[in-house]
């Protein structure tokens, strides 16, 4: 038999409900038969036939029920699958308390809060240490000289950063570049308005001097300002050890002056 016939017989066997009482009653009726009349031999001769018919019907029903029941008890030919057993649950361990003063390794580090930038009119927090030949701070003034990082083996720029905590009514800035070989002026600039200053550039006694002088009636506001002198020089790394700057200024608090050198 193919799978479809097997399935149908199994479903018919499961749905079949034999009425045993009815079958027995039919057998008993067939065995009892009608009352015998000797005058009518036809009925007497028909009794054995009825009994045999009832016994045959009962046998057929019994045989059919056994066959269906046997088919229903026949195990299916489909493969038996074993249900998957879930893995055992792992109990979570309780949290471990972190001792005081020890950082919790499970927590992400917290970024430090941003530090507020200092106001533009305040001098930088770090200042060079004054020496006998330098005075970077005096009164409301703070200063710092340096050789620009974009300088090359043929050209250089000396920068002066000047910060004033008060407005200035008088200001003279002087940059002095020592003649170390083929030092020649190539330009200058400042962050303050050009029309507020008189500018001169000249070489004297082996020194190239850049000078900015505030014009009368002009004022330099409090804040950070920059002055720069540019020049060519002999090929190679030039030493700025003999270069210097000097600033003379006046504010509401009185005169002030600062000076120093240029760090590379």
């Amino acid at each position: 038999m193919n799978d479809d016939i097997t399935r149908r017989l199994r479903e018919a066997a499961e749905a079949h409900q034999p009425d045993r009482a009815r079958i027995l009653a039919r057998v008993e009726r067939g065995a009892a038969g009608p009352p015998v009349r000797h005058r009518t031999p036809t009925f007497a001769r028909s009794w054995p036939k009825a009994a045999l018919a009832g016994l045959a019907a009962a046998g057929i029903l019994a045989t059919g029920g056994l066959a269906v029941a046997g088919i229903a008890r026949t195990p299916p030919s489909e493969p038996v699958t074993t249900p998957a057993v879930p893995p055992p649950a792992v109990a979570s361990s309780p949290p471990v308390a972190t001792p005081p003063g020890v950082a919790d390794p499970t927590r992400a580090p917290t970024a430090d809060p941003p530090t507020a930038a200092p106001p533009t009119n305040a001098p930088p927090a770090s200042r060079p240490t004054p020496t006998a030949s330098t005075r970077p701070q005096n009164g409301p003034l703070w200063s710092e000289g340096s050789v620009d990082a974009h300088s090359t083996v043929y050209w250089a720029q000396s920068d002066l950063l000047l910060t004033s905590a008060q407005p200035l009514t008088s200001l003279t800035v002087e940059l002095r570049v020592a003649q170390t070989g083929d030092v020649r002026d190539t330009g200058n600039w400042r962050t303050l308005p050009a029309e507020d200053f008189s500018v001169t550039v000249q070489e004297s006694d082996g020194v190239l001097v850049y000078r900015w002088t505030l014009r009368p009636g002009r004022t330099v506001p409090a804040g950070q300002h920059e002055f720069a002198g540019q020049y060519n020089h002999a090929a190679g790394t030039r030493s700025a050890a003999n270069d210097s700057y000097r600033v003379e200024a006046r504010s509401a608090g009185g005169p002030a002056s600062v000076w120093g050198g240029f760090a590379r």
Side-chain angles (χ1 to χ4, degrees):
M1 296 183 184
N2 55 28
D3 295 339
D4 183 68
I5 295 176
T6 303
R7 178 180 58 79
R8 292 185 180 182
L9 288 176
R10 188 184 304 114
E11 292 174 355
E14 293 174 353
H16 178 69
Q17 299 293 334
D19 191 349
R20 184 178 179 184
R22 185 177 179 183
I23 294 173
L24 293 176
R26 291 184 62 183
V27 173
E28 289 174 359
R29 286 198 304 272
V36 180
R37 295 181 182 182
H38 297 285
R39 295 180 181 180
T40 310
T42 305
F43 292 104
R45 289 196 301 270
S46 64
W47 180 85
K49 296 180 179 180
L52 290 174
L55 290 174
I60 292 172
L61 290 175
T63 303
L66 291 174
V68 173
I71 294 173
R73 286 194 300 270
T74 301
S77 59
E78 299 178 358
V80 179
T81 58
T82 304
V85 180
V90 180
S92 59
S93 56
V96 181
T98 304
V102 179
D104 186 353
T106 63
R107 298 184 59 186
T110 304
D112 294 334
T115 304
T120 56
N121 60 350
S126 60
R127 300 182 174 89
T129 303
T131 64
S133 59
T134 64
R135 188 169 76 176
Q137 182 180 8
N138 180 234
L141 299 180
W142 181 89
S143 61
E144 181 181 19
S146 64
V147 177
D148 193 270
H150 297 91
S151 300
T152 69
V153 294
Y154 302 103
W155 174 91
Q157 176 176 294
S158 296
D159 297 332
L160 172 62
L161 185 65
L162 180 66
T163 303
S164 177
Q166 299 177 1
L168 304 177
T169 56
S170 173
L171 176 64
T172 300
V173 177
E174 188 174 276
L175 270 59
R176 302 175 63 87
V177 180
Q179 181 58 259
T180 55
D182 296 334
V183 174
R184 296 189 301 274
D185 169 53
T186 59
N188 63 87
W189 55 269
R190 87 267 93 227
T191 55
L192 291 165
E195 59 272 14
D196 289 354
F197 288 87
S198 298
V199 184
T200 60
V201 180
Q202 60 182 7
E203 184 174 349
S204 175
D205 298 330
V207 177
L208 184 62
V209 181
Y210 296 85
R211 183 180 293 110
W212 294 266
T213 303
L214 184 66
R215 297 180 184 276
R218 308 297 174 89
T219 302
V220 174
Q224 195 173 80
H225 314 290
E226 190 171 358
F227 298 82
Q230 301 171 330
Y231 47 90
N232 289 334
H233 59 77
T237 302
R238 180 182 177 277
S239 172
N242 294 322
D243 299 348
S244 62
Y245 69 86
R246 187 178 184 91
V247 178
E248 301 287 344
R250 178 177 292 275
S251 65
S257 60
V258 291
W259 60 85
F262 295 88
R264 178 170 289 276

